Amino acid sequence: MHVEPFLPRAAGWDRLEPDRRGPDARFGPLEPLVADPEVTDVFVNGRTVWADRGRGAEREAGVLLDEDEARSIAVSLIGSAGRHLDEASPCVDARLGDGIRVHAVLPPISTIGPVLSIRLPAPRPLSLDDLDAAGCFPGGARPLLERLVAERANVLITGAAGTGKTTLLSAMLALADPSDRIVVIEDVAEARIAHPHVVSLETRQPNLEGAGGIDLARLVREALRMRPDRLVLGECRGAEIRELLAALNTGHDGGIGTLHANSLPDVPARLEALAALAGLGPEALARQAVSAIGAVVHLERDPGGRRTVAAIGRLGLDARDRLAITELAMPAPEAPPGRAQRRPLGDVEADARETLERTVPRRKAGR
């Protein structure tokens, strides 16, 4: 069955946003880069412009901006997304149309002039087949990911910025049962999911008087009242980790979230830091996280720009009842120093069963 992908839309998108690969005068001199299907990111650093076509950022010598023009483009783009960029709010993140993400910083916060970071989605949502063809799943990772979705395990996808966390999240959720109601919570909506029943919630910036703001923690609480079959948090970045873990420990299975982390061994420390913002101690976090999260999938991007599933891990408790992680998959012959302790896997399906049987059966029994 063909399913039209869910594409998050900004307010007024029908008036403001043509096909993102077509002309759009709001981008000014950046328009040809935005329309180029090979470009994934465009950066404006004061007067200079850079673009990433999958090989890393390269300077665009033929595109020059003065500071006034760069500021005008930044203010226009942020304004068209319903947010405001000025001296009172000099750093703003916003979404245009079907997933173009724009982050802008004005002087004096930026010391080199206006700074723009524009992240461009693929012309269509990528599937697991697309990611597989691009070499994203070395070492037999794909069958395990498919099983995690089918068995409704809660999954945490980690990686540094630009490693494809949201892309993998969207591709995995496309495998969910069509009857599942998926509620997606994001700071700036980016997930593009080929599934017929998706509800997207996005945070709101306070107005000029400082009122009306809605943060991620509030949206997690609101989402629980919407009877989600799968609860998805686009990025864990603060105190909302408390609400998310509470939800995943009370019968909400099949959820997926993302987290910035440089490596798999860094995940427990990152979770502890976020939990501290929510007033959770390390021991309380550890017990909740081990119960709530069935698997951790870590992504990396190599120097050539290829994004891969570098490891799959399982959370556990150490001797001090603190959060620890064991790497379960993708043996690498020359792992860099500092990698998590690895154990041989053998058969991927057998390891998937071991991972899933810890959490899934008891949750499914309560559904």
Side-chain angles (χ1 to χ4, degrees):
M1 178 181 67
H2 173 70
V3 177
E4 288 297 323
F6 164 76
L7 303 176
R9 299 289 187 180
W13 67 271
D14 52 337
R15 300 188 306 276
L16 296 170
E17 189 66 18
D19 179 356
R20 93 106 166 143
R21 294 307 187 188
D24 190 336
R26 288 174 301 155
F27 290 95
L30 306 177
E31 181 182 323
L33 296 175
V34 173
D36 185 343
E38 294 186 358
V39 174
T40 61
D41 297 89
V42 177
F43 308 108
V44 176
N45 302 338
R47 298 172 180 268
T48 63
V49 177
W50 298 68
D52 189 341
R53 294 178 175 82
R55 303 181 296 271
E58 300 170 331
R59 184 167 179 176
E60 299 292 322
V63 183
L64 298 175
L65 298 174
D66 59 41
E67 291 193 13
D68 289 340
E69 190 172 19
R71 181 188 179 99
S72 176
I73 293 171
V75 171
S76 173
L77 292 175
I78 297 298
S80 69
R83 301 193 175 192
H84 50 271
L85 179 70
D86 52 28
E87 284 73 14
S89 301
C91 306
V92 181
D93 205 14
R95 170 181 50 83
L96 309 179
D98 62 351
I100 299 178
R101 184 167 181 171
V102 179
H103 183 266
V105 182
L106 295 180
I109 305 304
S110 165
T111 61
I112 61 172
V115 173
L116 268 171
S117 303
I118 303 172
R119 177 167 293 179
L120 304 169
R124 62 177 178 82
L126 299 180
S127 66
L128 284 186
D129 287 340
D130 295 323
L131 297 179
D132 202 355
C136 186
F137 306 124
R142 179 174 175 174
L144 177 54
L145 298 183
E146 291 173 337
R147 185 176 174 90
L148 289 170
V149 176
E151 298 293 339
R152 305 186 62 83
N154 292 318
V155 178
L156 184 64
I157 300 175
T158 66
T163 53
K165 297 184 295 296
T166 302
T167 299
L168 180 60
L169 176 152
S170 299
M172 290 177 66
L173 287 171
L175 302 179
D177 190 291
S179 66
D180 282 351
R181 177 174 168 86
I182 301 173
V183 180
V184 184
I185 303 160
E186 297 179 274
D187 187 33
V188 175
E190 290 185 284
R192 308 165 79 226
I193 303 165
H195 189 277
H197 196 171
V198 179
V199 177
S200 176
L201 304 179
E202 184 179 57
T203 61
R204 186 171 70 185
Q205 182 183 18
N207 62 22
L208 293 174
E209 287 74 37
I214 298 179
D215 61 13
L216 288 170
R218 165 78 180 275
L219 289 181
V220 172
R221 294 193 296 272
E222 297 297 333
L224 295 178
R225 302 184 177 101
M226 302 171 71
R227 213 223 75 180
D229 293 307
R230 293 179 184 265
L231 185 64
V232 178
L233 183 59
E235 181 182 342
C236 301
R237 60 172 60 185
E240 67 276 359
I241 190 69
R242 175 182 55 204
E243 282 76 11
L244 178 66
L245 290 176
L248 298 182
N249 273 307
T250 53
H252 292 85
D253 53 6
I256 302 181
T258 73
L259 175 76
H260 273 83
N262 290 329
S263 67
L264 200 66
D266 290 335
V267 171
R270 286 284 293 129
L271 288 172
E272 286 186 356
L274 298 183
L277 298 176
L280 287 176
E283 294 81 7
L285 163 75
R287 293 189 178 279
Q288 288 202 50
V290 169
S291 176
I293 299 171
V296 179
V297 179
H298 186 73
L299 302 179
E300 292 182 354
R301 179 176 177 175
D302 65 26
R306 188 179 69 158
R307 298 163 174 86
T308 61
V309 174
I312 297 177
R314 184 177 68 193
L315 295 174
L317 299 176
D318 65 14
R320 302 174 299 158
D321 282 341
R322 297 280 290 270
L323 196 60
I325 194 163
T326 301
E327 189 170 340
L328 297 175
M330 273 71 68
E334 296 182 6
R339 301 282 289 194
Q341 182 65 37
R342 216 188 264 277
R343 67 173 177 78
L345 276 185
D347 178 60
V348 171
E349 287 295 319
D351 195 73
R353 287 192 294 272
E354 178 186 341
T355 300
L356 293 166
E357 285 169 0
R358 297 172 48 250
T359 54
V360 173
R362 62 182 176 82
R363 287 202 177 100
K364 292 181 74 175
R367 285 186 58 80

